[in-house]
Amino acid sequence: MKSNKIIGLLMALSVGLSSCVDGILNSDEKLEKRNVVLQLFTYYGNELLNPDSLHILGNSEVKFTDISFVYSGYSFVSTAGDTLFRDTAVNVQDLMNSLVYLTKIPGGTYSGTHYFSIGLDTNQEKILPTAYPEDHPMRGANLYRGVGKGYNYMVFKGTWRALGDTLDPAKPFSYVVASPLGTKFSKTMAFTVGGSSKARINIVLSIDKLLAGLDPSVTADVTCNPALPLDFALATGIKQNLASSYIIQL
């Protein structure tokens, strides 16, 4: 019931956003030319995620220092079945940025389905970080797994200590999901783009549901290594949790 209330509030907020875009967009977004945008409303429990706050995960008290998602594989297919647009760009969303700019399409009115993925295809996996522009987040150390190993698709890092323990120093934890655990999404909608008008896909992301079943006091590292059955099973569990924790707004 609480989740339904949250989604209802976000739907109302989305209507407000679309009616007053120029008044509320920050300066960075006004300069952004790409007009197909994911906007994530990231929650932990019933509250918007605050990176400065402590959260309960299993029997641990955690603080997040990095949450990152890698997006790729955007395409748009019209209701007539024609693939109108396809973009091979790779984009990253992290704790400090709730917006993911997927692509730019020409101004006009459209009806059809957006497709996009959390993860990379096999060719993108082979691209070295140095092939990206210097300021591109794919050059970050948290995403690249090394030569021949590809990239992390989802990253959750921070510090933890046991519940109620105020004396023990916080220790690091790291959970990552990588190849072959990509996930495809789709969103059917009618929209108009042009000028300051964008196609905005709103997403409710619940980190507590995504990491359900994990506890840093039991397992502080998940590396998504297929050679380690338990480790890979935990990474697979995070991917499977996307079905209930990554909700595209209707």
Side-chain angles (χ1 to χ4, degrees), residues 11-33:
M11 291 178 70
L13 175 60
S14 177
V15 172
L17 286 172
S18 63
S19 64
C20 57
V21 170
D22 289 333
I24 55 88
L25 294 183
N26 61 43
S27 58
D28 290 338
E29 187 172 0
K30 287 182 179 178
L31 295 173
E32 176 57 63
K33 294 180 179 180

Side-chain angles (χ1 to χ4, degrees), residues 12-245:
L13 175 60
S14 177
V15 172
L17 286 172
S18 63
S19 64
C20 57
V21 170
D22 289 333
I24 55 88
L25 294 183
N26 61 43
S27 58
D28 290 338
E29 187 172 0
K30 287 182 179 178
L31 295 173
E32 176 57 63
K33 294 180 179 180
R34 288 170 291 180
N35 53 17
V36 178
V37 186
L38 300 181
Q39 178 152 15
L40 290 92
F41 297 88
T42 305
Y43 281 79
Y44 202 97
N46 295 320
E47 303 292 335
L48 283 169
L49 180 70
N50 183 345
D52 295 323
S53 297
L54 295 172
H55 304 282
I56 306 302
L57 183 59
N59 292 310
S60 304
E61 189 176 61
V62 302
K63 178 180 285 190
F64 292 97
T65 57
D66 180 32
I67 297 176
S68 297
F69 292 79
V70 173
Y71 289 87
S72 70
Y74 175 82
S75 64
F76 180 79
V77 178
S78 73
T79 53
D82 301 322
T83 300
L84 300 183
F85 307 103
R86 190 184 301 276
D87 197 324
T88 59
V90 177
N91 304 283
V92 179
Q93 182 265 336
D94 59 36
L95 261 178
M96 304 308 296
N97 185 10
S98 65
L99 301 177
V100 182
Y101 296 93
L102 293 177
T103 193
K104 180 183 179 180
I105 61 178
T109 298
Y110 301 91
S111 179
T113 303
H114 303 278
Y115 295 91
F116 58 93
S117 298
I118 292 178
L120 302 171
D121 65 28
T122 53
N123 290 325
Q124 291 167 327
E125 285 278 345
K126 299 174 185 176
I127 297 173
L128 295 176
T130 51
Y132 290 96
E134 287 189 5
D135 60 347
H136 198 287
M138 289 297 284
R139 294 178 69 118
N142 281 344
L143 296 179
Y144 188 53
R145 294 171 67 86
V147 177
K149 298 179 181 179
Y151 292 83
N152 294 322
Y153 300 163
M154 293 187 279
V155 175
F156 310 90
K157 292 187 176 183
T159 58
W160 72 275
R161 60 185 177 188
L163 279 176
D165 189 341
T166 59
L167 300 177
D168 193 30
K171 296 175 282 290
F173 73 90
S174 173
Y175 300 148
V176 302
V177 177
S179 177
L181 301 180
T183 304
K184 296 182 178 180
F185 298 93
S186 63
K187 169 62 175 174
T188 300
M189 60 189 290
F191 61 94
T192 299
V193 294
S196 62
S197 179
K198 291 178 170 58
R200 190 178 296 268
I201 305 169
N202 292 329
I203 295 164
V204 179
L205 174 60
S206 301
I207 299 298
D208 55 313
K209 294 180 181 179
L210 188 52
L211 300 182
L214 291 169
D215 184 345
S217 68
V218 177
T219 304
D221 290 286
V222 174
T223 64
C224 196
N225 185 347
L228 302 174
L230 178 57
D231 176 88
F232 193 69
L234 292 174
T236 301
I238 298 174
K239 174 217 163 74
Q240 292 172 340
N241 286 344
L242 280 169
S244 61
S245 61

